[in-house]
Amino acid sequence: MILKHIFDRSVSFIGLIFLSPVFLVVAIMIRRQMPGGPVIFTQKRVGRKGNLFTMYKFRSMTVGHNGSSVSVAGESRITPLGAKLRKYKLDELPELWNVLIGDMSFVGPRPDVPGYADKLTGADREILKLRPGITGPASLKYRNEEELLALQADPQRYNDEVIFPDKVRINRYYLNNYSFLKDLQMIICTVLGRKMLYGEEEI
């Protein structure tokens, strides 16, 4: 995966430079419309080999909320501006810094909060060999995850019993069938909001 590593570092560096005006505009909007809190939200996530790292995102929620680690569309803790940032994935732009410094990759499993990695057993723990990604096959399949969870009577239970195990299955397939060309395809599909055929299913 040397090519993948070189691609991640070089493209994230270029992205941070060319997208700097977007960073500035989003930061100003957050400061004006969501006062009383930081522009950048930081959180400890589980990375490669189970090591913790600090992930950076634009803040999209109110300060001091006591909500679940599972986000559901329409929650009061998600601000109107934050909902728009999350819809168009603009809240994830600061993760380019995580890619540049090697904590993350463009494509890989989404990094979970501490606790979920502890649920991985046996061969499932092999996905921890991967650097977590900004996007990936599981992220593409569940791009509308927050809306899907909003339809459930118990979003936390549905996530733990249905979505999380399915994501683990998909990420294991990604680990065992890695392709740099598929990585590029997933990045393009993420940007354009399109579906693609991955293995035997459409994501």
Side-chain angles (χ1 to χ4, degrees), residues 34-48:
M34 299 164 57
V39 169
I40 299 295
F41 169 75
T42 62
Q43 189 178 50
K44 291 295 183 182
R45 296 290 181 99
V46 179
R48 187 167 178 260

Side-chain angles (χ1 to χ4, degrees), residues 74-142:
E75 287 184 286
S76 59
R77 59 177 175 161
I78 301 176
T79 69
L81 173 60
K84 293 180 180 178
L85 295 177
R86 296 167 79 94
K87 179 180 179 180
Y88 297 104
K89 308 300 182 183
L90 294 175
D91 62 316
E92 297 182 4
L93 285 180
E95 292 170 36
L96 287 172
W97 175 253
N98 287 117
V99 176
L100 180 64
I101 63 178
D103 288 332
M104 293 179 64
S105 174
F106 275 104
V107 181
R110 284 298 294 171
D112 287 313
V113 294
Y116 275 95
D118 297 332
K119 298 180 180 181
L120 298 173
T121 58
D124 288 346
R125 293 193 64 81
E126 291 183 358
I127 64 175
L128 294 177
K129 295 178 181 178
L130 296 165
R131 281 188 175 84
I134 294 179
T135 188
S139 299
L140 284 173
K141 180 175 182 179
Y142 290 102

Side-chain angles (χ1 to χ4, degrees), residues 18-191:
F18 280 91
L19 292 174
S20 56
V22 179
F23 276 75
L24 179 60
V25 170
V26 173
I28 292 173
M29 292 175 66
I30 292 174
R31 184 61 69 190
R32 289 182 175 179
Q33 298 185 35
M34 299 164 57
V39 169
I40 299 295
F41 169 75
T42 62
Q43 189 178 50
K44 291 295 183 182
R45 296 290 181 99
V46 179
R48 187 167 178 260
K49 298 181 179 180
N51 296 321
L52 294 180
F53 71 97
T54 301
M55 190 177 76
Y56 301 92
K57 301 179 71 171
F58 280 122
R59 182 168 65 91
S60 61
M61 296 185 178
T62 57
V63 177
H65 67 79
N66 295 312
S68 165
S69 60
V70 174
S71 299
V72 179
E75 287 184 286
S76 59
R77 59 177 175 161
I78 301 176
T79 69
L81 173 60
K84 293 180 180 178
L85 295 177
R86 296 167 79 94
K87 179 180 179 180
Y88 297 104
K89 308 300 182 183
L90 294 175
D91 62 316
E92 297 182 4
L93 285 180
E95 292 170 36
L96 287 172
W97 175 253
N98 287 117
V99 176
L100 180 64
I101 63 178
D103 288 332
M104 293 179 64
S105 174
F106 275 104
V107 181
R110 284 298 294 171
D112 287 313
V113 294
Y116 275 95
D118 297 332
K119 298 180 180 181
L120 298 173
T121 58
D124 288 346
R125 293 193 64 81
E126 291 183 358
I127 64 175
L128 294 177
K129 295 178 181 178
L130 296 165
R131 281 188 175 84
I134 294 179
T135 188
S139 299
L140 284 173
K141 180 175 182 179
Y142 290 102
R143 70 183 79 204
N144 64 335
E145 180 177 334
E146 293 186 1
E147 290 77 13
L148 177 61
L149 289 172
L151 300 175
Q152 310 306 318
D154 188 339
Q156 183 72 58
R157 181 177 180 180
Y158 188 82
N159 176 76
D160 293 350
E161 296 182 358
V162 179
I163 295 181
F164 179 72
D166 193 38
K167 285 182 176 180
V168 172
R169 176 188 64 83
I170 295 170
N171 288 326
R172 280 190 60 191
Y173 182 88
Y174 174 75
L175 172 65
N176 296 319
N177 298 274
Y178 170 73
S179 165
F180 181 70
L181 291 179
K182 282 291 185 181
D183 270 15
L184 294 179
Q185 188 178 357
M186 281 185 271
I187 293 171
I188 293 172
C189 287
T190 299
V191 174

